[in-house]
Amino acid sequence: MANYQVNKTYQEINEKIKKGQAVVVTAEEIIDIVRRKGEAEAARTVDVVTTGTFSPMCSSGAIINFGHTKPPIKASKVWLNNVPAYAGLAAVDVYIGATEPTEDDPLNKVYPGEFKYGGGHVIQDLVAGKAVHLVAEAYGTDCYPNKRVEKDITLKGVVNAVLFNPRNCYQNYNCAVNLSNRTIYTYMGPLRPRAGNANFCTSGQLSPLFNDPYYRTIGIGTRIFLGGAVGYVCFPGTQHNPGKPRGENGVPLGPAGTLMVLGDLKKMSPRYLVGVSLLGYGCSLTVGMGIPIPMLNEDIAHYVAISDDQLLAPIVDYGHDYPAATGRILGQVSYAQLKSGKMNLDGQEIPTVPLSSLVRAREVAQLLKEWIEKGQFLLGEPVDMLPGSEEVHCVRTGSRDS
Amino acid sequence: MHAEMLVLQFSREVVDQPIIYRLVKDFSLEFNLLKAAINPRQEGLIVMELRGHPKDFRRGLKYLRESGVKVKKVAGEVRRNEDLCYQCGTCTAVCPSGALHIERPDMAVVFDAARCSACELCCPVCPARAMEVKLNRSAL
């Protein structure tokens, strides 16, 4: 075990939280504190650092058990507000995925498609307390004779509703440009031709996994802020790839680690789970997530203090390279630069455009800070760590990390 | 669906033609009359909202002009639904007038209605669909 000047345990920090004595700051506030006081002193004075992000996260969805009907049905096809939900589970369990469009959506037939309503919107409507129309079809069995059910469901009325997101919270992400000669519509937003704009999608120095680049505190069982309520990290996310190249400061230079998260949808808020329509791409869900980082020692202080000027995003051409999966990277740009509004690519000045709401990411980090200060939110010690950079066996994704 | 508020001026020569009927029948367009003043053998005027598939809408407009109807658009007004906007900034990628811009260091997305040219490019691009077109009724 490393020899640290400061050694705190989860239990000690939780005791302080329970007494209302924990010192909690956000991942933006900590940067100055570490610069002023040094890592060890910062680790001594501060107990928890809260992070936040608020971005479209496509690999999201909800498990809903809509309750047994009379006569009972073993639903095999289910629609929620005419959005297909996966029903290949037990009788009345379904999974509604965020990117599923409405059954009769014109998609990209009229390009670029508007994708006005989909799974993400169903989730937001449920969380907002709205009634959602459910249609279930079945082939009928001796034990489940019912072949069709049609009813309105509400979040309150369903038996269970769990937000279960297989891949959220990417550690770093591409900065997207378009070097082709026509405007393209991507999950990274609209990209004007000849590098007319550069879009990015993380909260930078406030983003959870940027603050714990080696996953020393964020692991399986970590209690988090998810969609306005308490949630948990339940596993490494799909495509979790900690083996991606890292900078000298240890932070990945491209999309690397990811988190699988879940939480009780019934307690969440439509302010932090927003159904979105990405022109020409599809539907998705914007997820508000915040993760507390316990200040166990000065090493943790070192990593939470890494600021936007030291965090680099890879610049990727979505006009040609990304759809062709060439894996080519045009260069690196710092988040300080991206947040400034302008960046430089081969001598050309390009306006930068955020897709991730920093305003609301700050709100998430602040809210989580208040919960901890008030003693309402205790830290969860991971029961197992996420695979780190040394041990992962990641199947190549062909440089596609969406 | 595309919708616009239009002012149609009918000359004496076309005022007795079933032009609105043809718009509905041949171009599948919906109309909603707000004002109509047509006298037989005199000039006429209609203020109406016309709505339909963008392609039909364009063809319908072409038909109107070819029939000798003078078509003027009533300026739309773009507004932001503050309850829906979550301040991401995607709209700033397409806003040509700088009405939508980011205030630093807060990274707040500001909508300055005075600089808005009502081009409506932001409307379909906004992920939360917070940008709405309202017809400027004072222009009627």
Side-chain angles (χ1 to χ4, degrees):
Chain A
M1 201 171 140
N3 200 6
Y4 295 120
Q5 293 176 47
V6 179
N7 288 288
K8 291 189 214 170
T9 64
Y10 283 84
Q11 290 71 26
E12 283 164 10
I13 296 175
N14 276 339
E15 281 312 310
K16 283 178 97 174
I17 295 174
K18 280 182 204 162
K19 287 182 196 151
Q21 294 168 350
V23 178
V24 190
V25 301
T26 71
E28 289 186 313
E29 292 163 345
I30 191 68
I31 294 168
D32 244 15
I33 298 173
V34 171
R35 276 186 198 154
R36 258 194 350 260
K37 297 188 172 180
E39 290 166 4
E41 188 50 29
R44 241 187 297 274
T45 29
V46 176
D47 299 306
V48 184
V49 174
T50 60
T51 62
T53 180
F54 197 87
S55 294
M57 302 193 197
C58 288
S59 191
S60 299
I63 299 164
I64 292 164
N65 179 295
F66 61 84
H68 287 285
T69 54
K70 210 171 178 181
I73 188 167
K74 183 172 103 67
S76 52
K77 281 188 175 175
V78 170
W79 295 262
L80 297 171
N81 278 354
N82 206 23
V83 179
Y86 182 71
L89 303 155
V92 292
D93 282 331
V94 296
Y95 185 78
I96 177 83
T99 67
E100 187 71 44
T102 303
E103 181 74 55
D104 50 6
D105 193 287
L107 307 172
N108 262 338
K109 283 178 201 122
V110 183
Y111 176 85
E114 290 196 46
F115 302 96
K116 285 184 180 161
Y117 195 87
H121 299 91
V122 172
I123 293 169
Q124 188 184 15
D125 279 349
L126 280 170
V127 174
K130 291 184 190 166
V132 165
H133 192 67
L134 174 141
V135 175
E137 287 178 1
Y139 45 80
T141 73
D142 290 339
C143 43
Y144 291 99
N146 205 342
K147 289 187 179 168
R148 188 178 164 89
V149 166
E150 207 167 314
K151 63 172 182 174
D152 282 347
I153 60 164
T154 59
L155 194 58
K156 241 186 208 167
V158 297
V159 180
N160 312 91
V162 180
L163 186 75
F164 171 57
N165 304 346
R167 181 173 68 258
N168 274 184
C169 207
Y170 243 118
Q171 185 179 27
N172 207 347
Y173 212 79
N174 298 338
C175 161
V177 295
N178 167 24
L179 300 184
S180 79
N181 289 323
R182 65 171 185 102
T183 299
I184 58 169
Y185 301 90
T186 70
Y187 68 84
M188 288 298 286
L191 295 169
R192 289 189 278 124
R194 296 171 289 281
N197 55 305
N199 296 2
F200 68 102
C201 197
T202 93
S203 55
Q205 62 194 16
L206 193 59
S207 179
L209 289 176
F210 267 146
N211 284 284
D212 187 8
Y214 289 108
Y215 330 112
R216 290 192 179 148
T217 67
I218 300 173
I220 298 165
T222 296
R223 189 178 283 118
I224 63 173
F225 174 110
L226 181 62
V230 170
Y232 305 89
V233 173
C234 62
F235 216 62
T238 53
Q239 296 178 25
H240 174 73
N241 186 359
K244 279 277 176 83
R246 287 169 188 258
E248 278 175 24
N249 57 11
V251 179
L253 296 168
T258 67
L259 302 176
M260 196 175 285
V261 298
L262 53 72
D264 188 352
L265 193 68
K266 291 196 178 201
K267 294 185 177 143
M268 294 184 191
S269 142
R271 186 169 177 81
Y272 303 106
L273 283 182
V274 182
V276 291
S277 307
L278 305 173
L279 187 65
Y281 170 73
C283 303
S284 189
L285 184 70
T286 291
V287 180
M289 196 189 306
I291 305 188
I293 295 179
M295 202 68 111
L296 301 175
N297 53 53
E298 57 269 35
D299 203 32
I300 306 290
H302 169 80
Y303 287 112
V304 289
I306 295 176
S307 52
D308 279 336
D309 53 318
Q310 302 152 350
L311 299 169
L312 300 175
I315 307 164
V316 174
D317 170 26
Y318 278 62
H320 169 71
D321 291 328
Y322 192 83
T326 65
R328 185 167 76 121
I329 286 165
L330 305 174
Q332 302 280 342
V333 56
S334 78
Y335 279 92
Q337 194 72 55
L338 287 170
K339 285 181 185 172
S340 78
K342 285 184 206 118
M343 65 173 263
N344 207 292
L345 181 65
D346 296 330
Q348 180 188 352
E349 192 176 81
I350 307 174
T352 57
V353 174
L355 307 173
S356 173
S357 171
L358 194 59
V359 173
R360 214 160 278 186
R362 284 182 176 139
E363 192 179 303
V364 167
Q366 190 60 35
L367 204 54
L368 180 57
K369 173 177 157 176
E370 287 167 21
W371 287 359
I372 299 171
E373 282 172 341
K374 286 182 194 155
Q376 297 167 345
F377 184 106
L378 294 177
L379 304 181
E381 183 166 1
V383 290
D384 269 312
M385 301 318 290
L386 299 176
S389 47
E390 344 43 58
E391 50 188 306
V392 96
H393 308 284
C394 189
V395 177
R396 284 175 55 84
T397 56
S399 300
R400 297 186 65 98
D401 299 295
S402 56
Chain B
M1 285 301 248
H2 183 79
E4 275 180 28
M5 187 68 78
L6 304 173
V7 179
L8 311 183
Q9 279 178 293
F10 293 73
S11 64
R12 209 179 267 214
E13 292 71 42
V14 293
V15 83
D16 56 349
Q17 308 276 315
I19 285 177
I20 304 298
Y21 168 79
R22 294 250 74 91
L23 273 183
V24 176
K25 186 91 174 140
D26 301 348
F27 304 98
S28 310
L29 295 171
E30 267 175 43
F31 69 92
N32 181 25
L33 286 186
L34 277 105
K35 194 175 178 183
I38 306 174
N39 298 313
R41 287 182 295 281
Q42 287 178 27
E43 294 219 328
L45 179 115
I46 289 183
V47 180
M48 67 175 194
E49 189 188 37
L50 196 61
R51 179 185 293 275
H53 187 279
K55 216 178 198 173
D56 295 332
F57 190 92
R58 279 197 299 275
R59 286 173 51 228
L61 227 55
K62 196 173 165 226
Y63 160 74
L64 280 176
R65 291 194 168 115
E66 282 172 0
S67 310
V69 178
K70 275 190 197 157
V71 183
K72 269 198 276 182
K73 290 178 190 175
V74 176
E77 191 183 14
V78 175
R79 286 188 215 164
R80 181 162 77 177
N81 184 330
E82 300 295 338
D83 292 336
L84 296 180
C85 171
Y86 62 80
Q87 313 255 327
C88 64
T90 308
C91 52
T92 64
V94 294
C95 180
S97 67
L100 286 156
H101 61 274
I102 291 171
E103 218 165 57
R104 296 179 167 79
D106 293 351
M107 297 299 279
V109 183
V110 181
F111 176 52
D112 179 358
R115 282 162 73 183
C116 174
S117 62
C119 70
E120 302 176 21
L121 285 174
C122 54
C123 300
V125 152
C126 170
R129 296 289 193 267
M131 303 307 292
E132 299 167 346
V133 184
K134 290 270 158 62
L135 292 161
N136 186 353
R137 304 231 165 226
S138 61
L140 292 183

